[in-house]
C-alpha cells in the first residue's frame, strides 16, 4: 500500500519516546504524507529529548497516555481516527524483568490487550478505503524464540516460541494475543520480530551505551559470564526504516523477522567499542592504557540465552528491505554520537 498525495496517513506510534519508537517517529515524519501521534506514558525509558528534531513539526503530536489506561486509549482512537497503529510501548529490559516481572506483564500483555480491544472497536467503525487501509502493527523481539542451539541455525518466522526471561515471555504472550485478535476478530494485524538494536538515544542500562559511558567515566565495564553470548546487532535506524516499510506495504496476517546479519559475541562488541574509544580518546581516566583494561567479568544473568540470530530473507524478498549499516559503520556512528 502506498500513501497517495491526496491522503495523509495517520499513524499512532505507542512508545514513541523510547529508543526504537523515537527512531520510528523521526523516520515516519520523513514521509510527507504521514502524520504521527506519539502516545507514551514516559516511564524511566521514555525521553522526549530524543524527539527534539520533531518538536513543532506540523505532522507530529504527542499525548501522554498509559496503554494500561483503557478509557484514555478509547478517547485517543475516537479523536485521532488512525489508519495504522505501530505498537512499540513496552517494558524492555531483561534484567528489570527478572527483578520485577509484574510491570512487564501489565504493560506488555494487558497494555497490548487494551490496544487490541480499542483497535477493534475503531476498526469496526470504519468503512470503505479507511477500513481497507487499517493496520495494527505489533513490534516484537527475537527473544520470543529463546536460545538458538548450534551455530548454523537461524530464527525463521515459523520457529516455535520458547521464551526464557519474564520479558521474553511477556512479549511472546503479546504476540499470541495479536495473532489471536487477527484470527478471531479479523483485525488486520502484522507482527515483526527483531534482533538486538543499537544506536543513538539508547537508554544507558543496555550493553552498548553502558559500555561506552562506563569507559568514558573510567568505571569497570561489567560483562555477564564469559561474554560468549551471541546477538545479531541491527542499527536502530535500519530497524525503523524496516518498520515503516512493513506498516505501509506489509501483508496482513504476516510475520516478518528483522535482523542485521551481524552475529557477534558480547565480549567482541565490548572490545570493539574499547578499540574505537582508544583511537578517539588519548587521555584516559584511572591510569589505564586501553579502555579494555576496564572489562570485568561478573556472575551471569539467570536464564541467559547464549545465541540469537535472525533469518531476514523473507522481508528482503517480499518487501525489498535490507540493512544499510554493518556493525563496523554503525558502532562507529554510535560511539561518536555518545561522545
Ligand atoms: P524502550 O524501553 O527504550 O522504550 C519503551 C517506551 O515505551 C518508553 O518510551 C516508555 O516510556 C514507553 N512505555 C512503557 N510503558 C508504557 C505504557 N504503559 N504506556 C505507554 N508507554 C509506555 O524500548 P525499545 O528498546 O525502544 O523497544 C521498543 C519495542 O521494540 C519494545 O516493544 C521491544 O520489545 C521491541 N524490541 C526492542 C529491541 C531492542 O533491541 N531494544 C529489539 C527488538 C524488539
Amino acid at each position: 500500500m502506498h500513501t497517495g498525495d491526496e491522503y495523509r496517513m495517520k499513524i499512532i506510534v505507542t512508545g514513541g519516546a523510547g529508543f526504537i519508537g523515537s527512531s520510528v517517529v523521526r523516520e515516519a515524519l520523513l514521509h510527507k504524507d504521514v502524520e504521527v501521534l506519539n502516545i507514551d506514558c514516559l516511564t524511566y525509558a521514555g525521553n522526549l529529548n530524543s524527539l527534539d528534531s520533531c518538536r513543532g513539526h506540523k505532522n507530529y503530536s504527542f499525548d501522554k497516555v498509559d496503554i494500561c489506561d483503557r478509557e484514555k486509549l478509547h478517547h485517543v482512537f475516537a479523536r485521532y481516527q488512525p489508519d495504522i497503529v505501530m505498537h512499540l510501548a513496552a517494558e524492555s529490559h531483561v534484567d528489570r524483568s527478572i527483578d520485577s516481572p509484574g510491570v512487564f506483564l501489565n504493560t506488555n500483555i494487558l497494555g497490548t490487550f487494551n490496544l487490541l480491544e480499542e483497535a477493534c472497536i475503531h476498526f469496526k467503525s470504519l468503512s470503505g478505503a479507511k477500513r481497507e487501509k487499517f493496520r495494527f502493527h505489533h513490534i516484537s523481539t527475537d527473544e520470543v524464540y529463546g536460545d538458538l542451539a548450534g551455530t548454523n541455525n537461524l530464527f525463521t518466522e515459523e520457529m516455535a516460541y520458547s521464551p526464557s526471561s519474564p520479558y521474553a515471555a511477556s512479549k511472546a504472550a503479546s504476540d499470541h494475543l495479536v495473532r489471536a485478535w487477527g484470527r478471531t476478530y479479523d483485525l488486520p494485524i502484522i507482527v515483526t520480530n527483531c534482533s538486538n538494536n543499537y544506536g543513538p538515544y539508547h537508554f544507558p542500562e543496555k550493553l552498548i551505551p553502558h559500555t561506552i559511558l562506563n569507559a568514558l567515566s573510567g568505571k569497570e565495564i561489567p560483562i555477564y559470564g564469559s561474554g560468549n553470548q551471541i546477538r545479531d546487532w541491527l542499527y536502530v535506524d535500519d530497524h525503523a526504516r524496516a518498520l515503516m516499510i512493513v506498516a505501509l506495504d506489509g501483508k496482513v496476517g504476516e510475520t516478518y523477522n528483522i535482523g542485521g546479519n551481524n552475529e557477534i559475541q558480547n565480549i567482541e562488541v565490548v572490545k570493539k567499542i574499547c578499540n574505537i574509544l582508544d583511537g578517539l580518546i588519548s587521555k584516559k581516566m584511572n591510569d589505564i592504557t586501553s579502555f579494555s583494561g576496564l572489562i570485568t567479568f561478573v556472575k551471569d544473568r539467570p536464564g541467559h540465552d547464549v545465541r540469537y540470530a535472525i533469518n531476514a530473507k523473507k522481508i528482503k524478498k517480499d518487501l525489498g528491505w535490507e540493512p544499510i549499516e554493518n556493525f563496523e559503520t554503525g558502532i562507529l556512528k554510535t560511539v561518536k554520537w555518545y561522545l
Side-chain angles (χ1 to χ4, degrees):
M1 183 204 318
H2 288 282
T3 59
D5 287 342
E6 72 290 348
Y7 190 84
R8 198 168 274 179
M9 188 73 73
K10 297 174 89 174
I11 304 183
I12 289 182
V13 175
T14 74
F19 168 48
I20 301 172
S22 62
S23 179
V24 168
V25 172
R26 293 190 298 272
E27 173 71 27
L29 292 175
L30 297 176
H31 298 243
K32 282 207 291 292
D33 47 2
V34 164
E35 240 179 63
V36 177
L37 170 63
N38 170 14
I39 63 168
D40 194 302
C41 73
L42 302 178
T43 65
Y44 78 94
N47 183 358
L48 288 177
N49 293 331
S50 313
L51 293 163
D52 274 351
S53 62
C54 308
R55 206 166 287 154
H57 193 296
K58 68 177 182 3
N59 290 347
Y60 172 69
S61 51
F62 169 72
D63 204 348
K64 189 165 186 274
V65 176
D66 187 333
I67 59 165
C68 297
D69 184 340
R70 178 86 188 262
E71 205 180 315
K72 244 185 171 175
L73 274 184
H74 185 77
H75 291 303
V76 168
F77 275 87
R79 178 174 51 83
Y80 196 66
Q81 296 288 312
D83 298 291
I84 299 177
V85 176
M86 296 177 77
H87 175 35
L88 295 103
E91 288 292 335
S92 70
H93 190 46
V94 175
D95 286 342
R96 286 178 189 259
S97 83
I98 294 169
D99 294 339
S100 317
V103 64
F104 284 71
L105 272 54
N106 271 335
T107 294
N108 300 359
I109 305 178
L110 294 176
T112 301
F113 162 72
N114 285 335
L115 269 172
L116 286 167
E117 287 287 83
E118 289 307 325
C120 263
I121 293 172
H122 170 66
F123 177 60
K124 282 182 189 143
S125 75
L126 300 177
S127 59
K130 188 113 179 153
R131 188 180 169 88
E132 279 293 300
K133 284 195 196 93
F134 187 75
R135 300 284 181 272
F136 186 98
H137 177 186
H138 178 62
I139 285 84
S140 191
T141 166
D142 62 353
E143 300 200 24
V144 296
Y145 298 121
D147 214 353
L148 200 51
T151 48
N152 296 325
N153 250 358
L154 294 172
F155 293 137
T156 63
E157 287 80 359
E158 290 75 36
M159 204 96 176
Y161 277 26
S162 181
S164 302
S165 69
Y167 162 66
S170 68
K171 290 297 291 187
S174 68
D175 294 9
H176 289 319
L177 291 181
V178 171
R179 293 196 181 99
W181 261 245
R183 183 80 198 268
T184 305
Y185 304 108
D186 290 328
L187 188 68
I189 59 106
I190 306 182
V191 177
T192 50
N193 295 87
C194 187
S195 58
N196 275 38
N197 284 214
Y198 68 99
Y201 303 104
H202 210 172
F203 194 76
E205 67 191 352
K206 304 280 172 88
L207 177 70
I208 289 179
H210 194 58
T211 298
I212 300 169
L213 296 172
N214 273 26
L216 291 177
S217 45
K219 289 188 193 153
E220 287 183 349
I221 301 170
I223 300 221
Y224 282 132
S226 61
N228 68 340
Q229 307 84 1
I230 296 171
R231 301 292 180 260
D232 173 3
W233 292 94
L234 178 67
Y235 192 67
V236 64
D237 293 348
D238 275 328
H239 187 194
R241 198 167 42 79
L243 294 179
M244 279 307 291
I245 292 171
V246 169
L248 296 174
D249 291 322
K251 199 167 154 209
V252 169
E254 293 292 323
T255 296
Y256 299 92
N257 280 356
I258 306 173
N261 304 318
N262 285 306
E263 272 190 63
I264 314 177
Q265 286 194 336
N266 283 351
I267 182 72
E268 290 309 317
V269 169
V270 170
K271 283 183 180 165
K272 270 180 205 286
I273 294 170
C274 291
N275 282 341
I276 294 173
L277 286 172
D278 283 342
L280 295 174
I281 295 172
S282 50
K283 197 168 175 322
K284 302 171 181 65
M285 292 171 86
N286 295 351
D287 298 332
I288 46 162
T289 50
S290 163
F291 286 105
S292 57
L294 295 169
I295 295 174
T296 313
F297 295 94
V298 299
K299 189 170 176 292
D300 206 354
R301 165 196 284 164
H304 207 169
D305 290 333
V306 177
R307 178 169 170 257
Y308 301 141
I310 284 269
N311 175 335
K313 284 190 179 149
K314 177 175 169 179
I315 186 170
K316 181 175 178 189
K317 182 169 160 284
D318 292 2
L319 298 173
W321 174 88
E322 56 186 333
I324 293 172
E325 303 291 344
N326 59 42
F327 194 71
E328 307 301 325
T329 59
I331 196 67
L332 183 60
K333 272 188 178 180
T334 306
V335 171
K336 286 185 170 168
W337 184 85
Y338 276 94
L339 286 178

